[in-house]
Amino acid sequence: MSSNAYIARQPIVDAKHHLFAYELLFRHSAHAQSAHIESDIDAGITVIANTLVNMGTEWLLKGKQAFVNMESSMLMSSFSTLLPPDKVVIEILESVHITPDVLERLAELKAAGYRFALDDFQYLPESESLLPLASYVKLDVLAHTPEELVRIVNSVRRHPLELIAEKVESPEQFRRCQALGFDYFQGYYFA
């Protein structure tokens, strides 16, 4: 991995386009549009190290929340507690296998004040155990048909969670997601 690392901030906004939070994304160069990631843990550590050491949370976040992606090894390590829980929402990646150890770790982190977003959430029997631990569910609106989105939104709404529509690319998508009852919105339309 290069000795230089860059962080992209993608805004997460409410229904009135007011900034709610940023998702912090690792980038390998200043002009990269996507990440070139050798490993998820390296990307996560880079985001955390750059946020804490090089940039400082106040300058980077301007008083807003930071959503930071974490995969299994990051969640299970002490790296997951390097950022302050009052400023960070841990995004549990869809690649995380839900095991009793992972659920126990999430319960420990939640007891320490951390909040979780379930990234690219799929409403499956194995994902059901995550819902009581989470504060947010992120749904990729491009990955689902309108009918699937309605079904997933209705299922998730049985829990006290807030919904974030990801990959909102146009005003039409934004309006559809608003009508479905999403609380927050993220995508190039807002960037």
Side-chain angles (χ1 to χ4, degrees), residues 91-158:
E91 278 200 38
I92 301 169
L93 296 177
E94 64 278 7
S95 60
V96 172
H97 296 289
I98 309 310
T99 65
D101 288 342
V102 166
L103 291 171
E104 182 180 329
R105 178 64 174 159
L106 294 176
E108 290 170 5
L109 291 169
K110 184 171 181 158
Y114 286 92
R115 291 160 295 139
F116 305 104
L118 306 178
D119 191 35
D120 289 335
F121 185 73
Q122 301 288 327
Y123 203 95
L124 303 169
E126 58 271 20
S127 62
E128 184 85 29
S129 59
L130 291 172
L131 293 171
L133 296 166
S135 298
Y136 305 94
V137 167
K138 295 180 89 175
L139 296 175
D140 179 343
V141 299
L142 298 179
H144 301 285
T145 66
E147 296 78 21
E148 289 172 332
L149 277 176
V150 168
R151 182 184 55 77
I152 296 169
V153 166
N154 289 336
S155 296
V156 169
R157 281 290 179 211
R158 293 188 301 233

Side-chain angles (χ1 to χ4, degrees), residues 10-181:
Q10 190 172 63
I12 300 172
V13 302
D14 67 14
K16 295 183 178 181
H17 291 111
H18 295 135
L19 182 63
F20 166 68
Y22 292 106
E23 181 174 351
L24 301 183
L25 303 162
F26 168 78
R27 296 291 182 253
H28 66 280
S29 74
H31 304 291
Q33 296 297 311
S34 63
H36 172 73
I37 299 173
E38 294 173 21
S39 81
D40 287 334
I41 196 161
D42 287 344
I45 290 169
T46 300
V47 168
I48 289 171
N50 277 298
T51 301
L52 281 175
V53 179
N54 298 338
M55 297 178 180
T57 57
E58 213 41 57
W59 174 85
L60 183 65
L61 300 176
K62 307 228 184 288
K64 302 300 179 192
Q65 300 296 302
F67 281 61
V68 177
N69 293 323
M70 288 195 192
E71 48 73 57
S72 294
S73 53
M74 280 285 290
L75 283 169
M76 300 306 282
S77 75
S78 61
F79 287 111
S80 60
T81 59
L82 288 178
L83 290 173
D86 62 321
K87 296 183 192 272
V88 172
V89 174
I90 295 172
E91 278 200 38
I92 301 169
L93 296 177
E94 64 278 7
S95 60
V96 172
H97 296 289
I98 309 310
T99 65
D101 288 342
V102 166
L103 291 171
E104 182 180 329
R105 178 64 174 159
L106 294 176
E108 290 170 5
L109 291 169
K110 184 171 181 158
Y114 286 92
R115 291 160 295 139
F116 305 104
L118 306 178
D119 191 35
D120 289 335
F121 185 73
Q122 301 288 327
Y123 203 95
L124 303 169
E126 58 271 20
S127 62
E128 184 85 29
S129 59
L130 291 172
L131 293 171
L133 296 166
S135 298
Y136 305 94
V137 167
K138 295 180 89 175
L139 296 175
D140 179 343
V141 299
L142 298 179
H144 301 285
T145 66
E147 296 78 21
E148 289 172 332
L149 277 176
V150 168
R151 182 184 55 77
I152 296 169
V153 166
N154 289 336
S155 296
V156 169
R157 281 290 179 211
R158 293 188 301 233
H159 301 272
L161 299 162
E162 295 187 286
L163 288 168
I164 301 173
E166 285 189 293
K167 298 189 181 162
V168 177
E169 309 289 316
S170 70
E172 296 77 31
Q173 283 179 326
F174 171 65
R175 285 191 290 278
R176 272 194 306 269
C177 292
Q178 264 187 314
L180 283 173

